[in-house]
Amino acid sequence: MARRIAAGAAYGGGSVGLLGAAAVGVLLAEVQLAKRQVGGGTAPVPPSADGRYGVAFAGPSDPLRLGLLGDSTAAGQGVRRAGQTPGALLASGLAAVSERPVDLRNVAQPGARSDDLERQVSLLLTDSSRVPDVCVIMIGANDVTHRMPATQSVRCLTTAVRRLRTAGAEVVVGTCPDLGTIEPVYQPLRWLARRVSRQLAAAQTIGSVEQGGRTVSLGDLLGPEFEANPRELFGPDNYHPSAEGYATAAMAVLPTLCAVLGLWPETDRLDGARREDMLPVAKAASQAAREAGTEVTGARAPWALLKHRRRRRLPAATEPHPHPHPHPEPHGEAGGSTRVERHPGTGTDTSSRPA
């Protein structure tokens, strides 16, 4: 199904049906029930996290430029502090690993679907002299909830990846999360949400890898933590992640973000103990959609590498260092801490590094 969706997106096919007509009546009732319960609280407007991170590393090298695109997950809706957003967490982590300042620009829009990526990419590429070195795209949940045709969704995403790659940016896509982990969604809607989310995530992987991007499956990344402690891992509206939830997701993306920039140790040897493998891209995409935190990167067509990178600890999130003008020089010490802290239930320890 993922291959059919991706092929339809690439060659102009129409919508690929994912649901039999017999189930429509039951599912519509479940949708109405879920709508009354999801969003019972109010998610705060996501804070702006744009700015410079890791200013203590200022030196002769230019800052790395990180762009974030996508929906409310990429924007960080559900938290109140800039340092708690995924953009800030990834920028702080990237600065700590590269030992260079990182300029973050986040153009993600809460509520956005994949057809908004064209506008977001245009915003990032307006200044050809400031093209991001790497971009992270998190998109797909609203495509599912608003019943956007899967082929259209994947077509919009692959076009965005192609534009960014043509401009010279590396691209990492966090694929559609598993909507079956949302607490107020009941069976059979929960089963359908999981199935459709995974099919879209796999199709996103196929399309993105074929355009030269890498993907990280977000899938049910929050599933086990949510079942154990839903109030901690989801925000006040029961839909968007909390600060701890965003930290969990960001730690899954950070190793791939560093690897695509050549900052992470790479090896041609696949680790069988960690279920790494080289597979046809469609099979790699399907397997990644079933296991959150899995990276897929293209090899020689039609093959792809399936990797399970170790999750490292993120540095303590800092507030962005404000830019006094569009292209600032680094100054001051605010936001310079790169101390690595423990987040509950994640990864292995890394050593602290003084700013």
Side-chain angles (χ1 to χ4, degrees):
M1 178 61 75
R3 170 54 76 184
R4 288 176 57 197
I5 294 170
Y11 300 111
S15 174
V16 178
L18 299 176
L19 175 62
V24 170
V26 175
L27 291 173
L28 285 178
E30 291 285 355
V31 167
Q32 295 306 315
L33 180 60
K35 281 182 177 180
R36 288 196 294 268
Q37 297 186 62
V38 174
T42 301
V45 175
S48 173
D50 287 7
R52 182 162 294 177
Y53 294 78
V55 294
F57 294 120
S61 298
D62 292 333
L64 290 170
R65 293 187 291 271
L66 170 63
L68 226 68
L69 309 88
D71 53 23
S72 56
T73 303
Q77 189 166 15
V79 297
R80 300 184 182 278
R81 294 180 51 196
Q84 297 172 327
T85 62
L89 294 168
L90 291 172
S92 298
L94 186 57
V97 174
S98 65
E99 298 189 348
R100 290 171 60 182
V102 174
D103 286 344
L104 170 67
R105 187 178 182 196
N106 193 333
V107 295
Q109 179 67 40
R113 291 172 285 183
S114 292
D115 54 4
D116 190 53
L117 289 176
E118 181 180 4
R119 179 191 66 84
Q120 296 181 26
V121 171
S122 296
L123 285 175
L124 281 181
L125 301 183
T126 299
D127 186 350
S128 59
S129 66
R130 303 290 295 175
V131 173
D133 296 296
V134 63
C135 293
V136 175
I137 303 175
M138 297 180 179
I139 200 81
N142 294 314
D143 297 12
V144 174
T145 59
H146 290 79
R147 294 181 292 178
M148 184 181 216
T151 50
Q152 180 186 354
S153 174
V154 174
R155 187 181 302 121
C156 292
L157 174 61
T158 54
T159 299
V161 174
R162 182 168 59 250
R163 288 183 63 191
L164 292 169
R165 294 290 293 129
T166 301
E170 300 289 350
V171 180
V172 176
V173 176
T175 55
C176 182
D178 183 352
L179 298 182
T181 61
I182 300 172
E183 187 180 39
V185 177
Y186 302 111
Q187 299 292 7
L189 185 59
R190 180 186 292 272
W191 174 86
L192 176 66
R194 172 165 287 118
R195 179 178 174 82
V196 175
S197 300
R198 288 183 177 182
Q199 287 177 345
L200 179 57
Q204 288 177 321
T205 296
I206 295 171
S208 299
V209 167
E210 289 179 346
Q211 297 301 323
R214 299 193 189 195
T215 64
V216 178
S217 57
L218 298 183
D220 60 350
L221 190 67
L222 302 180
E225 293 91 341
F226 174 72
E227 291 177 0
N229 195 352
R231 295 284 73 80
E232 181 180 342
L233 266 294
F234 275 76
D237 62 353
N238 296 338
Y239 185 82
H240 295 95
S242 66
E244 288 294 328
Y246 280 127
T248 302
M251 276 191 290
V253 175
L254 180 61
T256 300
L257 183 64
C258 294
V260 79
L261 291 173
L263 303 172
W264 212 259
E266 293 278 20
T267 176
D268 294 332
R269 184 178 62 85
L270 298 174
D271 190 345
R274 293 166 62 186
R275 304 177 310 286
E276 295 183 343
D277 204 351
M278 180 177 286
L279 300 169
V281 63
K283 289 187 177 180
S286 178
Q287 186 168 326
R290 293 195 299 267
E291 185 170 356
T294 304
E295 175 192 314
V296 178
T297 183
R300 180 176 299 179
W303 300 91
L305 291 172
L306 193 75
K307 288 183 172 287
H308 300 277
R309 297 186 183 276
R310 296 185 188 279
R311 297 180 195 168
R312 305 297 178 93
R313 301 207 177 281
L314 287 169
T318 59
E319 298 300 316
H321 187 62
H323 285 183
H325 51 84
H327 307 300
E329 294 300 321
H331 64 278
E333 292 298 323
S337 173
T338 61
R339 181 171 57 87
V340 179
E341 289 190 347
R342 172 177 293 276
H343 290 279
T346 54
T348 57
D349 290 329
T350 57
S351 58
S352 299
R353 180 185 298 275

